[in-house]
Amino acid sequence: MVCLGNICRSPLAEGIMQHLADKAGLDWQVDSAGTGDWHVGQGPDRRSVKAAADEGIDISKQVCRLFRTLDFDEFDLILVMDKSNLSNVLAMARNDEDRKKVKMLLGDKVVPDPYYDDNQFAPVFKLIEAGCKEIIKQYS
Ligand code: 4NP
């Protein structure tokens, strides 16, 4: 799961997807990363922590990290939140095999960045949750 800062959207996506996959009995390992390095080493934004906790998911122990080329080798699927994440990640792809792993979580729709709007965290949770359910249906 990849977004820009790895403190708002992708930590939610990691927590939600891992929760749903575990619940479905799938042996999936979910991780998240950002393409920007401002928050590396920090925990998720407290508003994301709260939005997840309100739905029974604890994301407070996650630690922000940068997306790296090695992720193309370690993961089967790389889900990004918006078109800018998409071009940032594709710019790091080494070949078609890497490129094929990269998709937007919501298909042709984007998960908007809630960073500047406190009221967007709960709706963004729901959008991400719907996207994760769709991915589970598609890939499980
Ligand atoms: P995210 O949101 O990409 O969903 O984690 C952002 C968090 C921080 C910043 C930008 C977006 N930032 O510029 O610090």
Side-chain angles (χ1 to χ4, degrees):
M1 298 297 193
V2 181
C3 65
L4 177 60
N6 191 213
I7 55 167
C8 297
R9 292 165 293 175
S10 58
L12 278 174
E14 174 186 337
I16 293 167
M17 185 67 100
Q18 192 69 68
H19 174 80
L20 291 173
D22 292 349
K23 218 169 65 174
L26 298 165
D27 184 20
W28 288 9
Q29 281 180 37
V30 187
D31 197 5
S32 66
T35 59
D37 65 2
W38 310 283
H39 302 282
V40 167
Q42 298 175 10
D45 187 290
R46 60 182 168 72
R47 297 165 296 177
S48 282
V49 172
K50 178 174 187 309
D54 286 347
E55 302 279 349
I57 299 174
D58 179 15
I59 64 165
S60 65
K61 312 277 184 317
Q62 293 182 27
V63 179
C64 174
R65 72 166 176 90
L66 267 177
F67 182 78
R68 53 185 187 233
T69 310
L70 188 65
D71 288 320
F72 288 112
D73 299 323
E74 294 201 333
F75 295 92
D76 301 308
L77 189 57
I78 295 160
L79 296 167
V80 303
M81 302 298 128
D82 65 28
K83 289 183 180 164
S84 140
N85 311 146
L86 184 66
S87 52
N88 287 331
V89 169
L90 287 177
M92 292 171 68
R94 298 156 298 183
N95 49 44
D96 278 348
E97 199 185 331
D98 288 355
R99 275 185 281 278
K100 266 190 247 159
K101 293 185 172 183
V102 187
K103 305 198 187 308
M104 291 219 294
L105 174 65
L106 299 182
D108 55 2
K109 281 189 286 183
V110 302
V111 179
D113 188 347
Y115 191 58
Y116 296 103
D117 186 350
D118 294 355
N119 295 319
Q120 283 308 305
F121 282 80
V124 157
F125 180 100
K126 289 295 176 193
L127 269 181
I128 292 174
E129 183 184 44
C132 289
K133 285 183 175 166
E134 206 43 53
I135 294 288
I136 288 196
K137 243 196 251 168
Q138 232 177 306
Y139 290 86
S140 61

